[in-house]
């Protein structure tokens, strides 16, 4: 449905998007994830034909956005970061305007009624947009994108400024839309992307640094499975005992978190499973384990690490197949400084 | 194009600007009409030649909002990502501005009808007046539209547009004030007012029509260029 090849966008000396490539097939819900200013909106603006690209290509539904903008745009419904609303119009007037603008062929009234129902704005239909709350405006923005029933929906940070209840409603809406549309959602909030998208593209500094399912991302990156342990007992002896277990590389005492106990971080060898041994040894010595967790790296961690530039992941489906995305030395250097 | 046109027409009348423009132009044309009647003069061209400067000053008020406000409110993202050609958006907005501009001018037909009861009138001259104001209006509106596409602030677009209109009004003065021949002849040749006055005095000169239409075409094209260039920046 969407095919992006070596897409770059330059503003003078500043490179907003660097050689991005990805394909999104029909019916996928894909999340663009990245810190603010990473280039998510730029990519979306290019895909929708709002701004141009410097090099590379982007096709939507088989139509190149530069060469055949009208045909390509017909496939897209776009909700930009800031919903494009005429504040002096009522919701109904505005949607009618968008309907006319997009030259939609469906019967007008039932089509717009249906959209209003879908995004639950029927009760504000006749109110001026300027009198609507942020949440409602956002929904009108989605309604606007849905007019004409396009195959692809591109939603740029759709939940910003919504309250938690609205956010849950919104997620449900996106999931529902995903049944019939190809959806791209962007956000800098992980939990949100994780909740609705099966596939995630992590974008940092204009580059796609990871492209995979949420589960795979977690799996690939959490090769260092640190163990966290909370035990009651004498610190020095516990450390000694733990280090005595085969496969344990290091033990670090994290101090007292719960009164009367100590927390430890244990780093085992990659292949070894030391959990049983740890349990047996400690129970032999009558040091009760109060808590024992393996640290599966959460997406939050992965995201932070990726966007910090400390990690590299094999990217899937990109032009540079099977190659590692390398971070520029400047990022690494700046991180080193941070570490110091 | 029709969607944009309809939307802008509606906007003119949900906001006060449409009423203000019409009210001011009717007030002034009505005023000149009453002067004319008092002096028992029955040529409506007097009204038209008198309102040329107010028409020039009203034009930026009509156009200042058109692209600047869209950009500021980011509605342009909906317009430019819709499956329509950029030029049809430009044209829709221009037509809306032109229609609003012509509403009070159309109402002058009532004056002409009132006059027709009392005096012999020249309908051909009236047509020439209407054609003249339409062409000059279209030209100044296209310049205003272009200015509106340059900025995000409708205030700046309005003030700059006014300045341009003021300059256009003074261009005949420059022609006579500067004693350099090529400059004077240049000023005369681009003078909106003297070309417009040719219409109100009943001189039909094809070059005047071509001049105004060229200005419209050039500035609509420039508007298109500016909007398109912003995408490529």
């Amino acid at each position: 449905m969407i095919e992006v090849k070596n897409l770059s966008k330059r503003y003078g000396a500043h490179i907003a998007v660097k050689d991005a490539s990805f394909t999104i097939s029909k019916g996928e819900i894909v999340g663009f994830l990245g810190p603010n200013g990473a280039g998510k909106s730029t990519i979306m603006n290019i895909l929708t034909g709002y701004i141009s690209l410097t090099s590379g290509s982007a096709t939507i539904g088989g139509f190149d956005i530069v060469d055949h903008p009208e045909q390509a745009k017909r496939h897209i419904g776009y909700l930009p970061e800031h919903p494009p609303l005429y504040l002096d119009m009522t919701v109904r007037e505005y949607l009618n305007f968008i309907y006319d603008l997009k030259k939609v062929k469906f019967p007008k009234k039932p089509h717009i009624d249906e959209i209003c129902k879908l995004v639950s704005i029927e009760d504000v239909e006749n109110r001026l947009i300027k009198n609507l709350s942020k949440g409602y405006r956002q929904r009108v923005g989605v309604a606007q994108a849905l007019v004409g029933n396009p195959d692809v929906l591109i939603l740029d940070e759709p939940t910003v400024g919504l309250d938690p209840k609205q956010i849950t409603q919104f997620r449900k809406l996106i999931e529902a839309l995903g049944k019939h549309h190809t959806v791209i959602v962007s956000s800098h909030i992980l939990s949100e992307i994780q909740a609705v998208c099966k596939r995630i593209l992590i974008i940092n500094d204009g580059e796609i640094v990871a492209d995979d399912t949420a589960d795979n991302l977690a799996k690939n990156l959490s090769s260092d499975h640190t163990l966290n342990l909370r035990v009651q007992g004498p610190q020095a002896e516990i450390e000694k005992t733990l280090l005595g277990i085969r496969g344990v590389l290091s033990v670090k005492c994290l101090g007292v978190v719960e009164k009367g106990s100590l927390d430890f971080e244990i780093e085992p060898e990659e292949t070894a499973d030391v959990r049983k041994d740890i349990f047996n040894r400690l129970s032999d010595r009558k040091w009760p384990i109060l808590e024992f967790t393996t640290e599966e790296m959460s997406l939050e961690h992965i995201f932070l690490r990726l966007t910090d530039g400390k990690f590299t992941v094999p990217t899937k489906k990109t032009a540079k197949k099977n190659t590692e995305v390398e971070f520029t030395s400047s990022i690494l250097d700046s991180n080193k400084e941070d570490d110091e | 194009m029709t969607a944009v046109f309809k939307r802008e027409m509606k906007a003119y009348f949900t906001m006060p600007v449409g009423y203000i423009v019409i009210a001011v132009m009717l007030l002034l044309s009505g005023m000149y009409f009453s002067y004319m009647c008092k002096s028992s003069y029955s040529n409506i061209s007097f009204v038209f030649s008198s309102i040329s400067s107010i028409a020039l000053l009203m034009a930026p008020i009509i156009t200042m909002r058109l692209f600047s406000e869209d950009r500021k409110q980011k509605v342009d993202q909906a317009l430019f990502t819709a499956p329509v050609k950029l030029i049809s958006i430009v044209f829709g907005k221009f037509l809306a501005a032109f229609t609003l501009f012509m509403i009070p001018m159309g109402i002058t037909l009532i004056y002409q009808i009132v006059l027709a009861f009392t005096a012999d009138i020249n309908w051909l001259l009236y047509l020439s007046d209407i054609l003249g104001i339409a062409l000059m209006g279209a030209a100044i509106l296209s310049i205003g539209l272009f200015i509106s596409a340059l900025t995000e602030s409708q205030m700046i677009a309005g003030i700059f547009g006014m300045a341009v209109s003021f300059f256009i009004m003074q261009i005949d003065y420059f022609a006579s004030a500067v004693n350099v021949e090529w400059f004077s002849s240049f000023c005369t040749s681009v003078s909106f007012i003297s070309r417009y006055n040719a219409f109100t005095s009943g001189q039909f000169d094809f070059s005047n029509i071509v001049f105004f239409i060229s200005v419209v075409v050039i500035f609509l094209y420039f508007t298109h260029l500016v909007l398109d260039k912003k995408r490529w920046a």
Side-chain angles (χ1 to χ4, degrees):
Chain A
M1 202 69 225
I2 300 173
E3 213 180 326
V4 171
K5 276 188 203 147
N6 307 93
L7 182 83
S8 293
K9 174 74 183 174
R10 200 170 291 141
Y11 291 106
H14 173 70
I15 299 173
V17 179
K18 230 181 287 174
D19 210 25
S21 300
F22 56 89
T23 345
I24 296 172
S25 35
K26 211 174 168 169
E28 265 190 296
I29 306 184
V30 178
F32 279 10
L33 186 64
N36 291 322
K40 306 184 295 284
S41 297
T42 310
I43 295 180
M44 290 184 153
N45 277 334
I46 293 171
L47 287 180
T48 53
Y50 180 60
I51 55 172
S52 65
L53 40 84
T54 310
S55 64
S57 73
T59 55
I60 287 109
F63 294 103
D64 192 291
I65 191 72
V66 178
D67 297 336
H68 306 281
E70 276 156 73
Q71 286 97 321
K73 285 174 187 174
R74 212 159 280 158
H75 289 276
I76 304 173
Y78 182 32
L79 170 68
E81 205 172 341
H82 187 290
L85 307 173
Y86 277 121
L87 303 183
D88 56 314
M89 290 174 120
T90 66
V91 173
R92 177 61 85 158
E93 278 170 356
Y94 173 69
L95 292 177
N96 282 339
F97 162 67
I98 295 292
Y99 175 97
D100 292 340
L101 183 71
K102 291 188 179 175
K103 297 176 195 148
V104 181
K105 295 284 186 293
F106 307 116
K108 194 170 191 170
K109 193 165 181 310
H111 181 56
I112 290 177
D113 283 343
E114 192 193 332
I115 290 170
C116 288
K117 204 173 154 205
L118 190 65
V119 297
S120 328
I121 49 170
E122 306 122 298
D123 45 336
V124 295
E125 241 181 60
N126 296 314
R127 281 172 59 182
L128 284 176
I129 294 176
K130 71 173 160 213
N131 297 333
L132 295 182
S133 67
K134 170 89 183 143
Y136 271 112
R137 285 186 194 190
Q138 197 74 14
R139 281 191 231 176
V140 178
V142 179
Q144 163 274 133
L146 286 170
V147 171
N149 203 13
D151 313 332
V152 181
L153 284 175
I154 298 184
L155 312 173
D156 195 355
E157 310 215 348
T159 56
V160 167
L162 301 186
D163 65 40
K165 195 180 156 207
Q166 290 168 328
I167 290 180
T168 6
Q169 286 174 346
F170 227 93
R171 279 184 195 156
K172 282 192 189 131
L173 176 64
I174 292 171
E175 273 169 49
L177 293 173
K179 285 177 192 145
H180 305 283
H181 302 81
T182 305
V183 185
I184 305 180
V185 188
S186 84
S187 178
H188 59 273
I189 303 158
L190 240 157
S191 53
E192 217 175 279
I193 293 282
Q194 211 173 349
V196 288
C197 307
K198 290 188 189 76
R199 182 170 154 210
I200 298 178
L201 262 74
I202 299 181
I203 299 164
N204 189 42
D205 259 344
E207 275 183 297
I208 295 178
V209 290
D211 174 2
D212 215 327
T213 62
D215 295 345
N216 278 351
L217 279 174
K219 228 181 276 168
N220 281 346
L221 288 161
S222 55
S223 52
D224 59 338
H225 29 269
T226 329
L227 302 169
N228 286 329
L229 189 64
R230 185 170 296 168
V231 199
Q232 275 181 341
Q235 184 189 340
E237 280 186 62
I238 293 174
E239 272 178 16
K240 210 175 137 195
T241 315
L242 289 173
L243 277 171
I245 296 167
R246 215 170 137 188
V248 172
L249 293 176
S250 72
V251 175
K252 198 168 110 195
C253 182
L254 302 173
V256 181
V257 177
E258 194 183 317
K259 213 179 155 193
S261 68
L262 288 163
D263 278 33
F264 294 92
E265 191 185 273
I266 302 162
E267 194 195 328
E269 274 172 23
E270 253 186 59
T271 46
D273 188 354
V274 293
R275 289 172 299 179
K276 278 185 211 158
D277 289 341
I278 292 174
F279 174 80
N280 288 333
R281 294 280 182 98
L282 294 177
S283 73
D284 283 350
R285 304 287 303 262
K286 298 275 187 299
W287 292 325
I289 298 174
L290 301 182
E291 209 177 296
F292 197 4
T293 52
T294 51
E295 191 167 310
E296 266 292 327
M297 215 185 339
S298 69
L299 266 185
E300 205 88 29
H301 283 102
I302 298 170
F303 175 59
L304 286 175
R305 292 205 172 186
L306 278 170
T307 51
D308 266 1
K310 288 178 187 166
F311 252 90
T312 58
V313 232
T315 50
K316 202 176 80 178
K317 293 177 184 171
T318 62
K320 298 186 223 162
K321 260 196 179 145
N322 302 327
T323 57
E324 302 246 315
V325 176
E326 283 163 21
F327 285 86
T328 56
S329 56
S330 65
I331 295 175
L332 289 171
D333 289 344
S334 70
N335 279 321
K336 269 177 209 154
E337 278 162 29
D338 288 347
D339 291 345
E340 283 157 22
Chain B
M1 187 180 86
T2 36
V4 175
F5 171 76
K6 269 174 19 196
R7 133 83 207 160
E8 292 303 342
M9 275 325 283
K10 197 162 210 164
Y12 278 133
F13 293 103
T14 45
M15 284 180 272
V17 60
Y19 298 104
I20 291 173
V21 166
I22 292 178
V24 169
M25 282 170 81
L26 281 183
L27 178 74
L28 281 149
S29 59
M31 215 171 75
Y32 288 117
F33 182 65
S34 71
Y35 290 164
M36 194 186 89
C37 294
K38 264 191 184 158
S39 59
S40 58
Y41 183 64
S42 65
N43 186 350
I44 201 166
S45 289
F46 172 75
V47 174
F48 278 95
S49 57
S50 310
I51 59 168
S52 59
S53 35
I54 196 67
L56 283 176
L57 288 176
M58 280 293 124
I61 297 175
I62 297 176
T63 53
M64 65 183 188
R65 206 198 74 251
L66 289 174
F67 278 111
S68 58
E69 197 61 14
D70 276 11
R71 204 169 180 82
K72 197 172 177 187
Q73 303 287 349
K74 314 244 187 230
V75 200
D76 60 337
Q77 285 191 304
L79 295 181
F80 300 157
T81 58
V84 280
K85 284 208 169 68
L86 189 53
I87 193 73
S88 69
I89 295 170
V90 173
F91 211 67
K93 290 197 181 253
F94 171 73
L95 267 189
F98 182 68
T99 309
L100 176 68
F101 179 83
M102 285 311 284
I103 289 172
M105 294 300 113
I107 293 174
T108 60
L109 181 64
I110 297 173
Y111 306 163
Q112 182 74 344
I113 291 169
V114 169
L115 272 186
F117 284 113
T118 58
D120 260 352
I121 49 161
N122 185 347
W123 283 99
L124 216 57
L125 186 59
Y126 177 67
L127 274 185
S128 166
D129 289 334
I130 288 286
L131 181 68
I133 197 81
L135 284 170
M136 186 178 76
I140 189 73
L141 288 169
S142 66
I143 295 175
L145 192 68
F146 167 68
I147 294 170
S148 160
L150 293 175
T151 167
E152 263 186 34
S153 153
Q154 56 167 327
M155 280 319 280
I156 292 175
I159 292 167
F160 188 47
M162 290 272 192
V164 171
S165 290
F166 194 72
F167 180 78
I168 286 173
M169 284 190 278
Q170 298 304 316
I171 212 157
D172 286 308
Y173 167 75
F174 294 134
S176 57
V178 180
N179 241 343
V180 181
E181 199 190 320
W182 66 264
F183 184 77
S184 314
S185 67
F186 171 76
C187 285
T188 324
S189 70
V190 297
S191 165
F192 278 33
I193 299 284
S194 60
R195 284 181 188 271
Y196 170 67
N197 284 340
F199 285 97
T200 57
S201 60
Q203 302 164 29
F204 186 82
D205 187 344
F206 201 68
S207 73
N208 292 334
I209 297 178
V210 172
F211 171 78
F212 284 127
I213 289 177
S214 311
V215 173
V216 174
V217 171
I218 288 169
F219 278 93
L220 289 187
Y221 176 69
F222 280 174
T223 310
H224 178 270
L225 219 60
V226 166
L227 294 171
D228 201 40
K229 192 170 172 289
K230 279 191 176 145
R231 297 179 46 225
W232 289 91

